[in-house]
Amino acid sequence: PDSLSVVDIDSFLSKVFCDDDQSHDEMNSSLTTLQRFAAVSDPSLAEAGLYPEAESGVKRLASSCHEFVFDVCSAVPRKHLNDLPQMAAWREGASTDAFDSYGTLPQQYITQVGEHMLALVQAFEPFASDPATLSLANEVMDGVQDVALQPWSEFVGAAGVLGSDSVIPVLMRGKEIADLVLNNAALGEEDAVLEEGASEDEIASAAFCNAWLDCVGLAVTGRLLERIMRIPQLTPKGCDHLTADLNYLVNVFSALGVAGHPHPLVSHLGTLATLPDTELKAHIMSRDQGSDVQKALRIIESRVARLRGLGVE
């Protein structure tokens, strides 16, 4: 036939999946017919498929599910990061306390964020334990990173980067800026692979868990950076606190073992907070501004310098 009605398609699908008496050749014939009609030759119709309305509905449902899961998983970190700009630690003066000689410890807000991220591993694993269900879930994971864009948009706005719509996803992904930062602790794809000999089910389970850890991790990182940009002032002791907090988060994300984490900007800002004044100024002034991303990085770095009380033209 040259065309199929919805009834015809339903009949074919019913035979393929429900007719136990159907021979192997008959099943292959039915599948071949469906594949021929699914392979639309007109490029303008290539995205339509056999059931365009159903596919569109599934995409909308998947997007809603992504947002729901994301909101649940990121609510706790958002709460702990909310009051970060107003914390007194950033304005703290030099201390004569003997305990300070042992170093500055990460603050409670960031350890709570880190503990939540580590706990998510156990939270996701039960949903990845059924191979049949997991295979269906992994089919609708495309675009899950999109739900993490909002914090990054707010981060770029708080830093003062204008006209930055195209820059936001580049900064969020992190790969394109890996060679543009002072310190990059992000794991590569080769560092995050499972041990040799892992089964297909284990690989699928890890892919599902890592996709969500990546998504929530990106959102938490973007929110943290946005909150840092809104700090009014950083004293030298405040810089020590910030560096300790960021280094703690670097260790947490490294322990999670997800490719692309910890995000390059986390360790980069930690380094900027501890650079001597002259070195920080020299780094910012020497920053190449040949692309929108490099311009954005310079603006972010200049914002850190201003928090430290340094003027950069």
Side-chain angles (χ1 to χ4, degrees), residues 169-253:
V170 175
L171 290 178
M172 184 182 78
R173 288 191 298 267
K175 291 182 180 180
E176 292 89 337
I177 65 171
D179 296 328
L180 302 176
V181 297
L182 291 174
N183 187 11
N184 178 20
L187 297 177
E189 295 289 346
E190 66 283 358
D191 300 315
V193 297
L194 292 178
E195 294 182 3
E196 189 176 351
S199 67
E200 290 186 7
D201 289 347
E202 290 174 331
I203 294 173
S205 176
F208 174 82
C209 294
N210 287 347
W212 275 114
L213 289 172
D214 178 38
C215 177
V216 178
L218 285 174
V220 168
T221 300
R223 181 61 63 203
L224 172 65
L225 297 176
E226 179 264 332
R227 297 280 84 192
I228 292 173
M229 292 295 102
R230 299 189 187 280
I231 295 175
Q233 176 191 4
L234 278 173
T235 64
K237 185 60 179 177
C239 288
D240 290 341
H241 281 298
L242 181 61
T243 301
D245 294 346
L246 294 177
N247 286 342
Y248 169 81
L249 198 64
V250 165
N251 291 334
V252 168
F253 278 115

Side-chain angles (χ1 to χ4, degrees), residues 115-138:
E115 289 166 1
H116 176 80
M117 290 303 304
L118 293 172
L120 281 181
V121 177
Q122 287 74 38
F124 286 132
E125 283 179 347
F127 297 96
S129 60
D130 180 17
T133 304
L134 183 61
S135 65
L136 295 175
N138 279 336

Side-chain angles (χ1 to χ4, degrees), residues 6-143:
V6 173
V7 174
D8 293 329
I9 295 172
D10 287 342
S11 177
F12 272 117
L13 292 175
S14 298
K15 288 181 180 179
V16 170
F17 294 105
C18 302
D19 189 355
D20 294 335
D21 296 329
Q22 185 176 215
S23 69
H24 186 269
D25 291 339
E26 289 175 329
M27 182 180 293
N28 283 342
S29 176
S30 298
L31 289 174
T32 301
T33 302
L34 284 177
Q35 290 170 348
R36 180 165 65 86
F37 283 103
V40 182
S41 58
D42 186 347
S44 65
L45 301 175
E47 296 296 325
L50 292 174
Y51 291 105
E53 293 183 7
E55 289 183 10
S56 177
V58 169
K59 289 179 181 179
R60 291 195 302 271
L61 176 61
S63 179
S64 297
C65 291
H66 293 166
E67 293 176 6
F68 175 75
V69 174
F70 171 77
D71 287 342
V72 171
C73 293
S74 61
V76 171
R78 284 203 308 268
K79 176 180 179 294
H80 292 311
L81 293 172
N82 191 49
D83 296 328
L84 184 152
Q86 289 76 43
M87 292 173 59
W90 314 130
R91 304 183 299 276
E92 189 176 315
S95 174
T96 57
D97 195 320
F99 286 106
D100 277 359
S101 62
Y102 292 100
T104 304
L105 297 176
Q107 299 178 84
Q108 184 179 20
Y109 82 93
I110 200 67
T111 59
Q112 290 171 325
V113 170
E115 289 166 1
H116 176 80
M117 290 303 304
L118 293 172
L120 281 181
V121 177
Q122 287 74 38
F124 286 132
E125 283 179 347
F127 297 96
S129 60
D130 180 17
T133 304
L134 183 61
S135 65
L136 295 175
N138 279 336
E139 288 182 6
V140 294
M141 290 296 287
D142 289 345

Side-chain angles (χ1 to χ4, degrees), residues 155-173:
F155 157 56
V156 169
V161 181
L162 303 177
S164 55
D165 288 350
S166 62
V167 171
I168 295 169
V170 175
L171 290 178
M172 184 182 78
R173 288 191 298 267

